[in-house]
Amino acid sequence: DTAVSQTPKYLVTQMGNDKSIKCEQNLGHDTMYWYKQDSKKFLKIMFSYNNKELIINETVPNRFSPKSPDKAHLNLHINSLELGDSAVYFCASSPGPNSNQPQHFGDGTRLSIL
Amino acid sequence: GNSVTQMEGPVTLSEEAFLTINCTYTATGYPSLFWYVQYPGEGLQLLLKATKADDKGSNKGFEATYRKETTSFHLEKGSVQVSDSAVYFCALTDAGGTSYGKLTFGQGTILTVHP
């Protein structure tokens, strides 16, 4: 059983379009995260939700809007896509916001902007 | 703020060679430390962890010891295999406060093992 699943795995689209990436976890965790991995493999936190509430919002352009309909889902919507948005986006979950337990990651969504 | 510094890669080794990937960190609190591994085309998998000073994490022949005095968490393996070829990330989370458990990653080290 997949613990953290993201869809789609690949997303190729043109500049200016709007797209969404979905994430679901079946681990019963309260906290979910979005990370961005750039072309040099560097990973950086973008957002985090705990029980449907936003708790981390790093300096991300407001074209990026996360939405958490319930604690098992955290989706990422991106408006007016730009070339610099090309990256791999990873969703992750953990038991709680102050847990020292490891986060579980999805397989990533590779976003390519033409 | 928190930060993690890993040794520059890429690292290329022959099978059965000894591996060390250095990792040092800066944190304001008492972080938990992790090594994650990313195989080609896949997501991140936890390799090992340590949650307090002098803890040793180990898994699949890999080891790392949480050294508070040197703020380090170096990854070691005595005999690498071709299947160990991957990108390795050192990371920390500072439970509590306003960090909310977010992971701060090092820049990643690409390891290639040749037969």
Side-chain angles (χ1 to χ4, degrees):
Chain A
D1 283 346
T2 303
V4 181
S5 59
Q6 294 179 229
T7 54
K9 192 172 173 65
Y10 300 97
L11 188 49
V12 181
T13 189
Q14 293 194 324
M15 235 172 20
N17 284 350
D18 303 339
K19 289 294 178 186
S20 292
I21 306 171
K22 295 186 176 181
C23 179
E24 176 181 4
Q25 54 94 3
N26 63 4
L27 296 165
H29 288 169
D30 284 343
T31 309
M32 297 183 72
Y33 305 82
W34 278 110
Y35 292 87
K36 179 180 180 180
Q37 185 176 43
D38 64 23
S39 59
K40 295 184 179 177
K41 301 289 188 185
F42 188 68
L43 281 148
K44 194 169 175 359
I45 184 76
M46 299 175 69
F47 300 104
S48 177
Y49 271 70
N50 182 59
N51 227 342
K52 303 193 295 177
E53 290 197 16
L54 181 67
I55 56 172
I56 296 175
N57 185 353
E58 294 287 294
T59 48
V60 177
N62 58 14
R63 298 181 294 104
F64 290 78
S65 53
K67 285 188 173 50
S68 182
D70 55 62
K71 72 175 191 177
H73 295 83
L74 180 60
N75 304 322
L76 183 64
H77 188 77
I78 316 170
N79 287 328
S80 304
L81 281 157
E82 299 178 358
L83 288 175
D85 298 333
S86 295
V88 182
Y89 293 84
F90 286 101
C91 178
S93 72
S94 73
N98 294 316
S99 171
N100 62 6
Q101 292 304 307
Q103 293 178 19
H104 294 254
F105 283 80
D107 285 341
T109 296
R110 182 174 295 276
L111 174 62
S112 300
I113 310 301
L114 304 177
Chain B
N2 298 337
S3 67
V4 177
T5 303
Q6 283 180 238
M7 66 183 286
E8 292 285 335
V11 174
T12 303
L13 295 172
S14 297
E15 209 164 24
E16 298 183 6
F18 184 84
L19 169 71
T20 299
I21 302 178
N22 289 340
C23 171
T24 57
Y25 67 90
T26 303
T28 53
Y30 299 93
S32 294
L33 303 174
F34 306 91
W35 277 99
Y36 281 86
V37 58
Q38 184 178 24
Y39 297 103
E42 298 185 13
L44 278 77
Q45 300 175 26
L46 176 71
L47 183 58
L48 52 84
K49 68 170 185 174
T51 56
K52 61 183 188 298
D54 299 325
D55 268 2
K56 178 188 278 189
S58 61
N59 185 25
K60 299 181 183 178
F62 291 89
E63 291 183 342
T65 301
Y66 189 142
R67 301 277 188 211
K68 195 168 188 298
E69 63 276 14
T70 53
T71 61
S72 64
F73 193 53
H74 305 320
L75 182 69
E76 296 182 338
K77 186 173 185 183
S79 176
V80 293
Q81 305 299 312
V82 172
S83 57
D84 293 327
S85 298
V87 184
Y88 291 81
F89 294 93
C90 186
L92 69 81
T93 185
D94 201 354
T98 57
S99 64
Y100 296 116
K102 70 178 180 183
L103 282 168
T104 300
F105 286 93
Q107 65 268 45
T109 302
I110 300 172
L111 170 66
T112 304
V113 180
H114 292 299

